[in-house]
Amino acid sequence: MDTCAQHLLLQAKQAGALKTQSLSFKSLSLSPRQQALLELLLSGALSPLTGYMGRADAASVLESMRLADGRLFPMPVSLDAPADLAASLVPGENLALRDQEGFMLAVLTVSETWQADARREASALFGLSDIDRHPGAVAYAQETAPWRIGGAIAGIALPSHADFPELRRTPAAVQSIFRRRGWRRVLGFQAHALLHNRQHAMLRQAAADIEGSILLLHSAGDALAGGPGHFAGVRCAGLFARSFPENLLLLNLLPLPSLQAGPRQALFEALIQRNHGCTHTLVALRHADPMAADASPIYPTGKAQQLVADSEAETGIVMIPETAMDYVEEKAQYVPRASVAPGMTVKDITPAECTRRLEFGLDIPDWFTPPEIAAELRAVFPPRSRQGFTIFMTGLSGAGKSTLAKILYVKFMELRSRPVTLLDGDIVRRHLSSELTFTKEHRDLNITRIGFVASEITKNGGIALCAPIAPYARARAAARALVAPHGGFVELHVATPLTVCEQRDRKGLYAKARAGVVKGVTGIDDPYEAPEHPEIRLDTTRLTPEQAAQDVLLYLEREGYLA
């Protein structure tokens, strides 16, 4: 069962000598995403890679899912970096790769650097001419730095994890457990979401089919970035694993976020599972498919299973198709969908419905998930009436955001249900972003800072009232992404027309802009991208501030945020 996967970590003596030499090396502080990829490389999970791909390998992988020498590998693995750093490096130079605290994890010996087109890469990687249809493709294009660095890696240490260290085994350690337990046939399964009774029945069925055991690889990223959801996800995975006999399933954490890249993702996961010692891999009919807005599949149904099956001779891992399971009320159990007879009562709860039930404090039945998992989810994801939330107001200067925010602040303080923080645009500019200008880059950075502060307030059960102009849709989406994992995010578009805002013009801003005294004023010579689907849209032209505040409070009551 053992594979040829090799870790890239130096012996202690060699690592010590390299640390001494590294004082003169240039450094790159890795993002959580980059650090997760480095951890996979260092541990041997991405064998046969011995470092970051060069330009020829990366291009070949995007085009044909093969390295330049012909070996099968579906995902490009190059280090993205800022232009100024990448352009300053020369072949043969050493680059220290550090975590967010400055600890050196590895040294990259540069083979080459090049400028890349992230959107073109995303189009090839996700197999889409229009990447805006795919959230993973959009995120890749937005988050990936413009330059790439290729080269071999010498590992100093794996990233440190204070959370669940006993579950963060290397591929070699996993294989050692397989040998001790006498496991010869092992089914690999990559979990990116919560697991319930349906998945339990499906895994038991698949393991029985191959007369083998199961390696459950659960995605687990950065604990600080993930917040309570991270810990709840791992604890629920532990409860799920303990519902199996000990000799049937092994749980292991893996820093592998899903790009939802369909067939490529399935093949990538299969290779990683092979490097952990698995002999079989479980592949869904619509594997790693985020589905389009109309709920139709983005990738051809069954294509992932076909790709992994066709690659068995090269990967050395056998594809097992996932068996669809349904809960049948008359049998009080999950059974293969193909065996459900006409007239039988089939029950289902979608992930979205499970989330809704948690948000509104509704029942989650035992047939759907074990009571202990439901209790864990309720403890970490309380009903909306006990969650923190952010009201993110956006609109032109003079639209009425600040006045509305102040009234809401008073209303929430009177309710005494949660701590309340007001993050008014002008106040934030004065105290948090005083050094920033009004360029697009700095405006986006200002909104990111507001989003981060709001996420911390929300995470800790408070109410954040944000009232910036926030003219750009992408920055508002970034703020939502920061807050939403920790509680409610209510985008409130104060949609007062420009003509009304100019009539009010309390700051004289529009008059100065029309006279050419100031530049870059939103709505005059800088665009305002109106929200397409805000939770609330108010025009204060004919609403008093008190009436507008009442509309907001009524919305919050309807949506369960106010008991």
Side-chain angles (χ1 to χ4, degrees), residues 126-367:
F126 292 88
L128 298 169
S129 57
D130 178 15
I131 68 169
D132 293 326
R133 295 178 57 222
H134 193 302
V138 172
Y140 181 93
Q142 291 178 352
E143 297 171 7
T144 306
W147 281 69
R148 305 287 180 268
I149 307 174
I153 289 175
I156 304 299
L158 289 171
S160 174
H161 295 284
D163 60 308
F164 311 106
E166 72 283 0
L167 296 178
R168 296 181 182 272
R169 308 176 190 91
T170 64
V174 169
Q175 291 187 41
S176 178
I177 293 174
F178 290 173
R179 288 193 297 270
R180 289 201 308 271
R181 295 185 178 181
W183 290 8
R184 293 180 294 114
R185 289 179 296 277
V186 182
L187 177 74
F189 179 70
Q190 179 65 53
H192 295 288
L194 292 170
L195 302 170
H196 302 291
N197 289 336
R198 181 193 298 277
Q199 289 78 22
H200 186 283
M202 177 262 295
L203 285 172
R204 290 296 295 260
Q205 177 72 52
D209 289 344
I210 69 166
E211 298 181 346
S213 304
I214 304 162
L215 174 64
L216 172 58
L217 293 170
H218 182 81
S219 295
D222 180 69
L224 295 179
H230 164 82
F231 291 91
V234 177
R235 284 195 292 263
C236 287
L239 292 169
F240 180 86
R242 286 195 287 277
S243 67
F244 288 79
E246 185 178 1
N247 67 341
L248 182 59
L249 183 142
L250 176 68
L251 170 65
N252 202 55
L253 302 186
L254 195 69
L256 181 68
S258 175
L259 295 179
Q260 296 184 304
R264 276 185 189 262
Q265 183 83 31
L267 185 57
F268 188 51
E269 292 173 2
L271 290 175
I272 290 174
Q273 292 164 20
R274 178 206 63 187
N275 286 332
H276 281 78
C278 294
T279 56
H280 298 71
T281 180
L282 194 65
V283 183
L285 199 61
R286 296 174 178 173
H287 200 99
D289 192 331
M291 311 295 282
D294 61 358
S296 63
I298 289 178
Y299 299 104
T301 300
K303 181 66 178 296
Q305 293 179 342
Q306 189 64 52
L307 175 63
V308 177
D310 290 346
S311 305
E312 286 177 8
E314 292 182 86
T315 62
I317 190 166
V318 178
M319 192 282 295
I320 300 297
E322 185 177 295
T323 300
M325 308 293 286
D326 285 329
Y327 182 81
V328 175
E329 187 173 36
E330 289 82 358
K331 293 179 175 290
Q333 67 180 134
Y334 280 91
V335 299
R337 184 170 297 165
S339 68
V340 177
M344 287 183 172
T345 306
V346 174
K347 290 186 172 182
D348 186 29
I349 291 179
T350 64
E353 173 60 16
C354 182
T355 299
R356 190 190 72 84
R357 293 186 180 215
L358 288 170
E359 289 179 334
F360 288 90
L362 303 175
D363 177 59
I364 299 178
D366 293 352
W367 61 260

Side-chain angles (χ1 to χ4, degrees), residues 539-558:
D539 181 347
T540 65
T541 303
R542 295 181 178 83
L543 287 177
T544 67
E546 290 75 17
Q547 289 171 334
Q550 178 65 7
D551 284 353
V552 175
L553 293 174
L554 290 174
Y555 170 85
L556 295 172
E557 289 176 359
R558 288 196 305 272

